[in-house]
Amino acid sequence: MRKVRISFFGLGYVGLTTAACFAHKGFKVTCFDIDESKIETLNSGKTPFFEPRLEELVKTSVETNFLKAVKDPVKAVLDSEMTFITVGTPNKEDGSIDLTSIKEASKTIGEALRLKDSWHLIVVKSTVIPTTTENVVGNNIKKYSGKHLGSDFGLCVNPEFLREGNAVEDTFKPDRIVIGESDKKSGDLLEAFYREFYNNNFPPIIRTSLVNAELIKYVNNAFLAMKVSFINMIANLCQEIPGSDIEIVAKGIGLDKRIGQLFLKAGVGWGGSCWPKDLKALLNFSVKNNVELPLVESTLKINEAQPYKLIDLAKELIGELNSKRIAVLGLAFKPDTDDMRYAVSIKIIEKLLEEGAKVVAYDPKAGHNAKKIFRDIIEYADSIQECLKDSECALIVTEWDDFRKLKPEDFVKLMKIPAVVDGRRIYDPGLYSPKLRFAAIGLGRRKYHNPAFAANAIIKEGERILLVKRAIEPCKGLWSLPGGFMEYNETVETSLVREVEEETGLKVKPLKIIGVYSDPLRSPVKHVITISYECSIVGGALRPSSENSEIKFFPINNLPKRLAFDHFKIIKEYTKAHSKNS
Ligand code: UGA
């Protein structure tokens, strides 16, 4: 039996991937797009964007003549029995769906069908708001062809669930096929095609009405986005709880079969060409139907704020970002694609620039797209190494495999200040925290209340600094003197050095102890003890100390202006003593 011949309207990422996969399985596919450059690119065996395995499929299918693109849309329709509509459905300003391309495509298909005698099936694969297929596509085809739905042509809605970066794999091995149909004949034809396409690996199938199929697509995306926003919301809570980690919490709940492990990866938020536009279109549609969708609203709201969490963490590690060189690793909205549509990297870079940072960015694939957005406002590195070199904080924005392979030593070796904020949870905190300044989305951390922590950013190895230690300690003999400066002796000094080394992981060479201060306002059981002395860093990395203590390093020539009271007092004492001595 002759295989059904297929045409495609729209050579975006869904259209081209699906067309190439169909052609690869021996179906004759003719494509049309209003953008002539896409037609030329396809016919030369190339792809206008990066998608794993796709170029190889396009190349072989064009060579074997199963796949081609034509400039005449009428020819595409007349050369086929079944036409897939895969044009874009972006948002308008108010979030509602923009159906311009859908209307245009259905008008052109209608005009072509006027010239055709035999029955034709039109399959809408574009994501469209419920009722669009019947009311817009169906009516346009009737109007421009002069034909009747049912007797002359049929309509199906056949949503796609392809993930960018996995699109070829997802086409060959989908979880299910959804077919919405205007009548049985239309559904039967599409099902028969898929049975032939999948042969022995036919996935579960759902056959239903046009509106149900339209809804399934939106609800699927909304549910997945809600899952990710949910885990990001909990990640933000984890961050405030020392000792907690969203990675473990997500694993713990994901093993419950009713929840599942997938799409529970916390991070800096979701982006891409689908979820942001689809959720907004769904909300807009619900408002028009007088129905509230508070979970969808919250899903979007959480995602709006999520990218900025990365900036907050960076500030906690290195202080104000103004004039600091910040390395952004990853620009694409997810790995294995060069797509930057609604990528969180855009918001992150815009915020970094607003804060006065100097941004240097690297992405294995998306650099050319970033240049269209940021032009020469940021620096583009050609490698990870070039990006990290001399930077003062590295932000992990996309989880490319190459970034996963990095070790703490790579950051320490290349960066001016080795500080990493893991926005995609690709590094083991157990390995990173002891070796460099490390923070991650959803990783419980200590809170640094003192704005002077900013000063940490400018300490270099070997630099002479004033070290102020403030700790809440249980009342022990040595520390129990209430109030004022305590007398210190050699035992105190040795114990201080040991303690500081243990807490910081640094080798500290004390030069002069300035003072030990106990805060009498604290409860008699817990004393706040502030110790300060001049010392130099011999080597090692800075890391947060124990639960109840803070260690601050203030470069002597650059003491921060805003300090907590007790630190201020210590530094004043120090400065007095220092100026007397010199
Ligand atoms: C999504 C859906 O997964 C597809 O089923 C659907 O066909 C497609 O939209 C579409 O409507 O065309 P896609 O946008 O390519 O696919 O990518 P996803 O893998 O779903 O990721 C979306 C965003 O969520 C990315 O920014 C990703 O980094 C983020 N994400 C995903 C997380 O932050 N955590 C996760 O656990 C999963």
Side-chain angles (χ1 to χ4, degrees):
M1 207 178 77
R2 189 173 65 80
K3 286 187 163 162
V4 60
R5 291 173 308 159
I6 302 167
S7 52
F8 272 79
F9 270 57
L11 281 174
Y13 129 89
V14 171
L16 183 57
T17 309
T18 318
C21 290
F22 289 178
H24 179 75
K25 286 277 182 101
F27 291 87
K28 278 254 180 205
V29 182
T30 310
C31 305
F32 167 75
D33 196 294
I34 48 166
D35 180 349
E36 291 199 358
S37 72
K38 286 189 179 160
I39 294 177
E40 279 147 26
T41 309
L42 185 148
N43 286 337
S44 65
K46 297 211 163 61
T47 55
F49 51 84
F50 170 75
E51 178 65 35
R53 282 190 63 199
L54 185 59
E55 191 146 311
E56 162 203 329
L57 289 189
V58 168
K59 187 169 177 286
T60 49
S61 304
V62 168
E63 276 166 9
T64 52
N65 215 20
F66 280 103
L67 181 66
K68 68 170 182 221
V70 293
K71 290 183 185 166
D72 178 5
V74 176
K75 184 170 167 40
V77 175
L78 296 183
D79 275 357
S80 63
E81 287 92 42
M82 181 159 85
T83 300
F84 282 83
I85 300 182
T86 49
V87 295
T89 48
N91 295 121
K92 291 186 196 159
E93 284 276 298
D94 64 355
S96 65
I97 190 167
D98 180 349
L99 292 173
T100 310
S101 302
I102 287 282
K103 287 178 186 160
E104 196 56 38
S106 44
K107 174 176 180 253
T108 314
I109 294 167
E111 285 165 351
L113 287 184
R114 191 175 272 281
L115 309 172
K116 198 181 174 193
D117 293 331
S118 52
W119 191 88
H120 198 92
L121 178 65
I122 295 101
V123 184
V124 177
K125 229 182 208 317
S126 301
T127 302
V128 291
I129 280 300
T131 69
T132 305
T133 303
E134 186 163 359
N135 294 346
V136 179
V137 178
N139 285 346
N140 253 10
I141 291 177
K142 274 190 234 166
K143 180 172 161 194
Y144 291 100
S145 66
K147 303 208 166 184
H148 300 286
L149 176 61
S151 53
D152 299 321
F153 71 94
L155 280 178
C156 281
V157 171
N158 175 216
E160 51 80 24
F161 303 99
L162 316 180
R163 290 161 300 166
E164 287 191 32
N166 269 68
V168 172
E169 167 94 3
D170 286 347
T171 307
F172 286 129
K173 289 187 197 148
D175 288 350
R176 77 313 205 176
I177 306 272
V178 175
I179 296 179
E181 58 205 47
S182 58
D183 53 82
K184 188 168 178 312
K185 180 179 174 182
S186 303
D188 284 350
L189 182 76
L190 192 56
E191 177 171 345
F193 157 71
Y194 277 126
R195 286 201 179 271
E196 200 178 348
F197 180 79
Y198 290 111
N199 200 4
N200 293 331
N201 298 316
F202 191 67
I205 184 166
I206 290 192
R207 285 186 51 180
T208 181
S209 63
L210 295 173
V211 277
N212 272 343
E214 288 166 327
L215 266 171
I216 286 170
K217 168 69 190 193
Y218 278 101
V219 177
N220 206 83
N221 272 353
F223 192 88
L224 290 173
M226 180 180 74
K227 222 177 156 186
V228 178
S229 277
F230 177 85
I231 207 70
N232 286 342
M233 172 186 80
I234 303 296
N236 297 339
L237 173 65
C238 286
Q239 247 166 249
E240 303 306 317
I241 308 170
S244 79
D245 186 345
I246 191 64
E247 287 283 286
I248 314 292
V249 175
K251 194 167 177 197
I253 64 164
L255 284 169
D256 186 323
K257 286 197 190 70
R258 294 166 301 176
I259 295 175
Q261 302 267 17
L262 299 174
F263 281 69
L264 277 187
K265 183 83 183 168
V268 270
W270 43 265
S273 63
C274 308
W275 290 2
K277 79 165 173 74
D278 289 353
L279 267 70
K280 281 183 198 143
L282 183 62
L283 263 188
N284 184 280
F285 178 71
S286 72
V287 170
K288 284 180 183 151
N289 283 280
N290 296 320
V291 177
E292 286 186 8
L293 299 181
L295 285 178
V296 178
E297 273 174 48
S298 300
T299 299
L300 281 162
K301 189 172 159 214
I302 292 166
N303 200 51
E304 278 295 306
Q306 196 63 11
Y308 304 119
K309 304 283 173 199
L310 199 70
I311 310 275
D312 294 344
L313 288 176
K315 282 188 178 172
E316 282 182 28
L317 285 192
I318 67 160
E320 291 308 314
L321 304 178
N322 188 20
S323 57
K324 288 183 184 154
R325 187 176 167 85
I326 309 295
V328 173
L329 288 179
L331 294 163
F333 86 95
K334 60 185 276 192
D336 296 322
T337 176
D338 59 0
D339 199 342
M340 277 191 68
R341 283 175 289 175
Y342 292 97
V344 287
S345 63
I346 301 174
K347 277 190 175 182
I348 289 169
I349 292 175
E350 280 170 352
K351 183 72 182 159
L352 287 171
L353 293 171
E354 200 183 302
E355 299 267 338
K358 291 182 218 144
V359 177
V360 50
Y362 171 70
D363 188 284
K365 294 282 179 203
H368 65 285
N369 281 329
K371 283 180 189 159
K372 290 181 206 156
I373 303 169
F374 293 108
R375 300 175 194 280
D376 57 0
I377 306 175
I378 66 167
E379 202 180 306
Y380 305 93
D382 288 329
S383 65
I384 300 175
Q385 286 69 20
E386 194 187 317
C387 190
L388 291 180
K389 186 136 196 334
D390 295 332
S391 63
E392 290 161 79
C393 187
L395 309 180
I396 308 297
V397 178
T398 316
E399 64 276 35
W400 284 95
D401 268 351
D402 285 354
F403 303 161
R404 288 180 196 276
K405 290 179 197 147
L406 292 171
K407 299 198 173 62
E409 292 73 23
D410 299 318
F411 291 96
V412 172
K413 199 169 77 196
L414 290 161
M415 296 176 72
K416 185 169 167 193
I417 309 272
V420 174
V421 187
D422 185 354
R424 293 293 179 186
R425 298 308 310 265
I426 58 175
Y427 299 131
D428 176 357
L431 285 180
Y432 272 70
S433 292
K435 298 198 173 147
L436 39 74
R437 295 183 203 181
F438 183 76
I441 293 285
L443 184 66
R445 71 198 193 292
R446 294 189 54 251
K447 280 187 219 139
Y448 297 99
H449 298 293
N450 192 336
F453 190 65
N456 275 357
I458 30 181
I459 295 167
K460 294 187 199 83
E461 189 173 311
E463 192 177 340
R464 285 159 69 92
I465 56 165
L466 174 68
L467 186 144
V468 179
K469 175 177 183 280
R470 184 171 180 276
I472 302 169
E473 309 231 349
C475 181
K476 293 187 287 204
L478 194 61
W479 308 115
S480 59
L481 288 174
F485 282 94
M486 293 193 295
E487 262 181 48
Y488 64 83
N489 52 34
E490 262 180 43
T491 331
V492 178
E493 182 169 332
T494 325
S495 108
L496 283 182
V497 169
R498 206 196 53 234
E499 208 177 315
V500 168
E501 286 192 343
E502 266 173 21
E503 288 189 5
T504 60
L506 292 173
K507 274 224 140 315
V508 171
K509 188 171 142 220
L511 302 176
K512 196 194 309 169
I513 292 202
I514 307 300
V516 179
Y517 179 68
S518 173
D519 182 350
L521 299 175
R522 298 277 163 165
S523 82
V525 188
K526 293 224 168 173
H527 285 264
V528 174
I529 304 195
T530 305
I531 306 150
S532 63
Y533 54 94
E534 191 181 321
C535 64
S536 77
I537 298 176
V538 177
L542 182 71
R543 91 180 129 94
S545 52
S546 67
E547 271 297 274
N548 292 322
S549 70
E550 290 176 25
I551 295 211
K552 310 278 182 203
F553 298 85
F554 302 124
I556 285 165
N557 295 330
N558 200 357
L559 292 178
K561 289 194 185 75
R562 289 170 59 212
L563 290 169
F565 172 74
D566 49 358
H567 290 156
F568 179 69
K569 194 161 174 183
I570 290 296
I571 286 166
K572 234 165 96 184
E573 292 296 334
Y574 168 77
T575 317
K576 244 198 270 162
H578 198 65
S579 52
K580 245 187 249 155
N581 292 347
S582 52

